[in-house]
Amino acid sequence: MLYTRKGDDGTTKTFGCDQRVSKSSLVAEALGTLDEVNSFLGFVRAKAAATGFECDDPVNPRMQYADVVLEVQQNLFIVQAQVAGADKKITEDKIKRIESITDSIERVLPKISSFFISGATELGGAFDFARTLARRAERRVVAVKEEGKTNIEPNTLQYLNRLSSLLYALARISSRVGGHEEIIPDYK
């Protein structure tokens, strides 16, 4: 059954916890924001799969953008479980993995000297929007850590910080592969 009626009083139960918490709590807010990122990444993954674009990743040279996104989605479930109080952890290998992919993308892009206006391509715009959602999720998870009621591992915060860099790199490379120049704001 999709509904239980147990949350009708404004509370919810988190993974691995017998107590109910307010749906307005920092934990519930962080979990909802992580879910929002993950859901939107599902849309981005479908768009990326339709393009067939590939990353030049040293570990997997023919890795599709859609595969990179799926890997991130899987890792976000680990982050969500940790935020909910479960004994799940983001490993250092997962951080190094997205650093490696980001680095390989950056090697083929011009150096960043300015901000860019989002949306040179539809996929690039979707990756940029996912980046902003990931940044918001990172802020929400930091708030949970600062509250001190849930143990948030340093690797989790590092992963979320690197995630926005990866999504930015994917936005930039999507635009380039799509044959579009990045537009610099003119501030006029």
Side-chain angles (χ1 to χ4, degrees), residues 55-76:
C55 289
D56 186 20
D57 179 45
V59 175
N60 186 354
R62 306 310 290 175
M63 183 173 224
Q64 301 279 321
Y65 288 2
D67 295 334
V68 172
V69 174
L70 179 59
E71 190 174 316
V72 167
Q73 288 181 283
Q74 293 284 5
N75 291 336
L76 284 175

Side-chain angles (χ1 to χ4, degrees), residues 130-149:
R131 175 187 51 81
T132 66
L133 295 176
R135 280 288 191 206
R136 181 165 17 126
E138 179 185 9
R139 292 189 301 269
R140 298 302 187 266
V141 173
V142 167
V144 169
K145 180 186 182 338
E146 289 174 349
E147 182 183 46
K149 293 181 181 176

Side-chain angles (χ1 to χ4, degrees), residues 35-167:
D35 185 40
E36 186 177 2
V37 175
N38 211 334
S39 295
F40 189 73
L41 284 174
F43 170 77
V44 174
R45 182 168 46 91
K47 291 298 248 181
T51 68
F53 291 155
E54 297 176 333
C55 289
D56 186 20
D57 179 45
V59 175
N60 186 354
R62 306 310 290 175
M63 183 173 224
Q64 301 279 321
Y65 288 2
D67 295 334
V68 172
V69 174
L70 179 59
E71 190 174 316
V72 167
Q73 288 181 283
Q74 293 284 5
N75 291 336
L76 284 175
F77 273 95
I78 296 168
V79 173
Q80 286 178 280
Q82 185 180 112
V83 170
D87 187 24
K88 301 290 180 188
K89 294 182 171 91
I90 291 291
T91 62
E92 192 172 324
D93 288 346
K94 293 182 183 302
I95 297 165
K96 287 182 179 185
R97 175 89 173 116
I98 62 173
E99 286 176 344
S100 171
I101 296 168
T102 303
D103 291 346
S104 67
I105 292 169
E106 281 190 309
R107 278 193 279 281
V108 299
L109 291 171
K111 295 268 188 238
I112 298 172
S113 61
S114 174
F115 289 109
F116 300 109
I117 296 175
S118 181
T121 64
E122 186 176 1
L123 182 58
F127 275 122
D128 263 329
F129 187 65
R131 175 187 51 81
T132 66
L133 295 176
R135 280 288 191 206
R136 181 165 17 126
E138 179 185 9
R139 292 189 301 269
R140 298 302 187 266
V141 173
V142 167
V144 169
K145 180 186 182 338
E146 289 174 349
E147 182 183 46
K149 293 181 181 176
T150 304
N151 182 36
I152 305 297
E153 298 284 329
N155 280 357
T156 298
L157 296 179
Q158 289 175 14
Y159 184 86
L160 290 173
N161 192 36
R162 299 304 184 284
L163 176 57
S164 57
S165 297
L166 172 64
L167 294 171

Side-chain angles (χ1 to χ4, degrees), residues 18-35:
D18 292 333
Q19 297 177 344
R20 297 190 69 77
V21 297
S22 171
K23 289 182 179 181
S24 69
S25 71
L26 292 177
V27 167
E29 181 64 26
L31 291 171
T33 307
L34 287 162
D35 185 40

